[in-house]
Amino acid sequence: MRTEAFWSTYASHYDAIWDSPLIDALRAEIHGALAGAARILDLGCGTGLLARHHSSAGAGPIPHRDPAGQFWIGADDSVAMLEHARARGRIDEAFHADASRLPINAGSVDAVVTANLLQFHPNPAAVVSEALRVVRPGGVVVATWPVDGLTPAMVWRAERLFGRRLASRLQARARRKWISALASSIADLGVEQKHDAEITRSLMTVAEATGAAVMDLGVWHTVQRLVIVRRAS
């Protein structure tokens, strides 16, 4: 119950914390890797921020088709997060599931995205394995997670590169407060946050075992690890 209450509260403030020019830029970077994908699965979709500019403006009924012809499927193990994503009309289909045990067929999507989930999941390797199972042969899995030692100051510097200015100090202060509260709450719940090196090792091990190709393994603007893996054809 404590965990459910935490995610419900977090969902209510999620957009206020993370909706920023930095996330807009990261979203654009990820979408660039999804060119040509028609069906996209967003693992740990949260409130649907990642798929936002592929949806109709504001809240609306689902399913719908976005102008690029992409169909976004959101999966999250938080009911509250999914409710917010549905209410905002950001995803076309949604289901409640653990990212390591998905109720969908093998090879049924063209691409999988998992943004800032692997560091919190107890078994990142299982999530990557499941993502490679459900993506079609030749499809891509795009994963991101924070670099080790990431601080609010590093995030702020990166955000200023993409248009956030000192005029948004009030919002920045509120975000810092929530990020600190988030870290404390996660620790109180006993959730172990995985390190960059551990997640990278897990991903590389799974890729090697399945014959998938790691297309990119870089650090995006000092704040996020961004990895693209292509399933063997």
Side-chain angles (χ1 to χ4, degrees), residues 23 55 81 86 90 104 114 119 122 124-125 140 150 152 161 173 199 213 223 226 228-230:
I23 298 304
S55 69
M81 289 289 190
R86 288 189 184 102
R90 291 171 174 168
I104 61 176
T114 174
Q119 72 269 25
V140 296
L150 184 64
L161 294 175
R173 224 175 359 250
I199 302 170
V223 295
L226 195 154
I228 301 172
V229 181
R230 186 175 298 279

Short mmCIF file of all heavy atoms in Angstrom, two decimals, residues 23 55 81 86 90 104 114 119 122 124-125 140 150 152 161 173 199 213 223 226 228-230:
data_model
loop_
_atom_site.label_atom_id
_atom_site.label_comp_id
_atom_site.label_asym_id
_atom_site.label_seq_id
_atom_site.Cartn_x
_atom_site.Cartn_y
_atom_site.Cartn_z
N ILE A 23 13.60 17.58 -21.36
CA ILE A 23 12.85 16.38 -21.70
C ILE A 23 12.33 16.47 -23.14
O ILE A 23 12.29 15.47 -23.86
CB ILE A 23 11.70 16.16 -20.71
CG1 ILE A 23 12.25 15.95 -19.30
CG2 ILE A 23 10.85 14.96 -21.13
CD1 ILE A 23 13.26 14.82 -19.17
N SER A 55 0.62 12.63 -29.88
CA SER A 55 -0.80 12.50 -29.57
C SER A 55 -1.54 13.78 -29.89
O SER A 55 -0.94 14.81 -30.17
CB SER A 55 -0.98 12.16 -28.08
OG SER A 55 -0.61 13.25 -27.27
N MET A 81 -0.23 6.17 -12.78
CA MET A 81 0.47 6.72 -13.94
C MET A 81 -0.34 6.48 -15.22
O MET A 81 -0.51 7.39 -16.05
CB MET A 81 1.86 6.09 -14.07
CG MET A 81 2.85 6.53 -13.03
SD MET A 81 3.37 8.25 -13.27
CE MET A 81 4.72 8.34 -12.08
N ARG A 86 -3.78 8.10 -19.85
CA ARG A 86 -5.05 7.97 -20.59
C ARG A 86 -5.82 9.29 -20.59
O ARG A 86 -6.35 9.71 -21.61
CB ARG A 86 -5.92 6.88 -19.94
CG ARG A 86 -5.44 5.45 -20.16
CD ARG A 86 -6.51 4.49 -19.67
NE ARG A 86 -6.10 3.10 -19.74
CZ ARG A 86 -5.69 2.38 -18.71
NH1 ARG A 86 -5.61 2.94 -17.50
NH2 ARG A 86 -5.35 1.12 -18.86
N ARG A 90 -2.41 10.78 -24.39
CA ARG A 90 -1.05 10.74 -24.95
C ARG A 90 -0.68 9.39 -25.55
O ARG A 90 0.29 9.30 -26.29
CB ARG A 90 -0.04 11.10 -23.86
CG ARG A 90 -0.11 12.55 -23.43
CD ARG A 90 0.74 12.79 -22.21
NE ARG A 90 0.79 14.21 -21.86
CZ ARG A 90 1.27 14.67 -20.72
NH1 ARG A 90 1.73 13.82 -19.81
NH2 ARG A 90 1.29 15.96 -20.48
N ILE A 104 1.93 -9.55 -24.07
CA ILE A 104 1.79 -9.34 -25.51
C ILE A 104 2.67 -10.34 -26.25
O ILE A 104 3.65 -10.86 -25.69
CB ILE A 104 2.11 -7.90 -25.95
CG1 ILE A 104 3.56 -7.53 -25.62
CG2 ILE A 104 1.16 -6.92 -25.29
CD1 ILE A 104 3.93 -6.15 -26.13
N THR A 114 12.31 2.31 -23.35
CA THR A 114 12.25 2.26 -21.90
C THR A 114 13.12 3.38 -21.36
O THR A 114 14.35 3.32 -21.42
CB THR A 114 12.67 0.88 -21.35
OG1 THR A 114 12.73 0.94 -19.93
CG2 THR A 114 14.00 0.42 -21.91
N GLN A 119 16.88 1.67 -14.04
CA GLN A 119 17.61 1.90 -12.79
C GLN A 119 16.78 1.55 -11.56
O GLN A 119 17.32 1.33 -10.48
CB GLN A 119 18.13 3.34 -12.69
CG GLN A 119 17.07 4.40 -12.45
CD GLN A 119 16.50 4.97 -13.73
OE1 GLN A 119 16.53 4.32 -14.78
NE2 GLN A 119 16.01 6.21 -13.67
N PRO A 122 14.02 -4.22 -10.34
CA PRO A 122 14.91 -5.17 -9.64
C PRO A 122 15.72 -6.06 -10.57
O PRO A 122 16.75 -6.61 -10.16
CB PRO A 122 13.95 -6.00 -8.78
CG PRO A 122 12.60 -5.79 -9.37
CD PRO A 122 12.61 -4.41 -9.96
N PRO A 124 17.01 -5.49 -14.34
CA PRO A 124 17.11 -4.81 -15.64
C PRO A 124 17.32 -5.77 -16.80
O PRO A 124 16.79 -5.54 -17.90
CB PRO A 124 18.32 -3.89 -15.46
CG PRO A 124 18.47 -3.72 -14.00
CD PRO A 124 18.01 -5.00 -13.38
N ALA A 125 18.08 -6.84 -16.58
CA ALA A 125 18.33 -7.80 -17.65
C ALA A 125 17.03 -8.43 -18.13
O ALA A 125 16.84 -8.65 -19.35
CB ALA A 125 19.31 -8.88 -17.19
N VAL A 140 14.03 -2.01 -33.09
CA VAL A 140 14.98 -1.42 -32.15
C VAL A 140 14.38 -1.29 -30.75
O VAL A 140 13.17 -1.14 -30.59
CB VAL A 140 15.48 -0.02 -32.61
CG1 VAL A 140 16.25 -0.12 -33.91
CG2 VAL A 140 14.33 0.97 -32.73
N LEU A 150 24.59 11.90 -10.98
CA LEU A 150 23.78 13.00 -11.52
C LEU A 150 23.24 13.86 -10.38
O LEU A 150 22.70 13.35 -9.41
CB LEU A 150 22.63 12.43 -12.34
CG LEU A 150 21.74 13.44 -13.07
CD1 LEU A 150 22.53 14.21 -14.11
CD2 LEU A 150 20.54 12.74 -13.69
N PRO A 152 21.08 17.72 -9.28
CA PRO A 152 20.17 18.75 -9.81
C PRO A 152 20.92 19.86 -10.55
O PRO A 152 20.41 20.41 -11.54
CB PRO A 152 19.48 19.29 -8.55
CG PRO A 152 19.50 18.13 -7.61
CD PRO A 152 20.81 17.43 -7.85
N LEU A 161 20.79 24.73 -21.75
CA LEU A 161 21.18 24.58 -23.15
C LEU A 161 19.97 24.52 -24.07
O LEU A 161 20.05 24.84 -25.24
CB LEU A 161 22.01 23.31 -23.34
CG LEU A 161 23.38 23.26 -22.67
CD1 LEU A 161 24.00 21.87 -22.86
CD2 LEU A 161 24.30 24.32 -23.28
N ARG A 173 12.77 25.54 -8.38
CA ARG A 173 12.84 25.29 -6.95
C ARG A 173 11.86 24.18 -6.55
O ARG A 173 12.18 23.29 -5.76
CB ARG A 173 12.51 26.58 -6.17
CG ARG A 173 13.44 26.81 -5.01
CD ARG A 173 13.25 28.12 -4.27
NE ARG A 173 12.24 29.02 -4.71
CZ ARG A 173 12.50 30.20 -5.29
NH1 ARG A 173 13.75 30.57 -5.53
NH2 ARG A 173 11.53 31.00 -5.63
N ILE A 199 23.71 -1.51 -15.06
CA ILE A 199 22.69 -1.60 -16.11
C ILE A 199 23.33 -1.87 -17.46
O ILE A 199 22.84 -2.70 -18.24
CB ILE A 199 21.87 -0.29 -16.16
CG1 ILE A 199 21.21 -0.01 -14.82
CG2 ILE A 199 20.80 -0.38 -17.26
CD1 ILE A 199 20.59 1.37 -14.72
N ALA A 213 22.30 -6.39 -31.81
CA ALA A 213 23.42 -5.48 -32.05
C ALA A 213 23.24 -4.19 -31.28
O ALA A 213 22.18 -3.55 -31.38
CB ALA A 213 23.53 -5.18 -33.55
N VAL A 223 23.91 13.90 -18.90
CA VAL A 223 22.93 13.54 -17.88
C VAL A 223 22.29 12.16 -18.06
O VAL A 223 21.82 11.57 -17.09
CB VAL A 223 21.81 14.60 -17.77
CG1 VAL A 223 22.36 15.92 -17.29
CG2 VAL A 223 21.06 14.77 -19.09
N LEU A 226 22.18 6.80 -23.19
CA LEU A 226 21.20 6.52 -24.23
C LEU A 226 21.74 5.38 -25.09
O LEU A 226 22.83 5.50 -25.66
CB LEU A 226 20.93 7.77 -25.08
CG LEU A 226 19.68 7.71 -25.96
CD1 LEU A 226 19.14 9.11 -26.23
CD2 LEU A 226 19.96 7.03 -27.30
N ILE A 228 20.86 2.26 -28.04
CA ILE A 228 19.98 1.73 -29.08
C ILE A 228 20.45 0.32 -29.41
O ILE A 228 21.62 0.09 -29.73
CB ILE A 228 20.03 2.60 -30.35
CG1 ILE A 228 19.63 4.04 -30.03
CG2 ILE A 228 19.11 2.02 -31.44
CD1 ILE A 228 19.84 5.01 -31.18
N VAL A 229 19.53 -0.63 -29.30
CA VAL A 229 19.82 -2.04 -29.56
C VAL A 229 18.89 -2.52 -30.68
O VAL A 229 17.68 -2.25 -30.63
CB VAL A 229 19.62 -2.90 -28.31
CG1 VAL A 229 19.96 -4.37 -28.60
CG2 VAL A 229 20.44 -2.38 -27.14
N ARG A 230 19.46 -3.20 -31.67
CA ARG A 230 18.64 -3.72 -32.76
C ARG A 230 18.56 -5.24 -32.65
O ARG A 230 19.57 -5.94 -32.59
CB ARG A 230 19.22 -3.33 -34.13
CG ARG A 230 18.30 -3.72 -35.31
CD ARG A 230 18.85 -3.21 -36.63
NE ARG A 230 18.94 -1.78 -36.68
CZ ARG A 230 17.92 -0.96 -36.93
NH1 ARG A 230 16.71 -1.46 -37.17
NH2 ARG A 230 18.09 0.34 -36.96
#
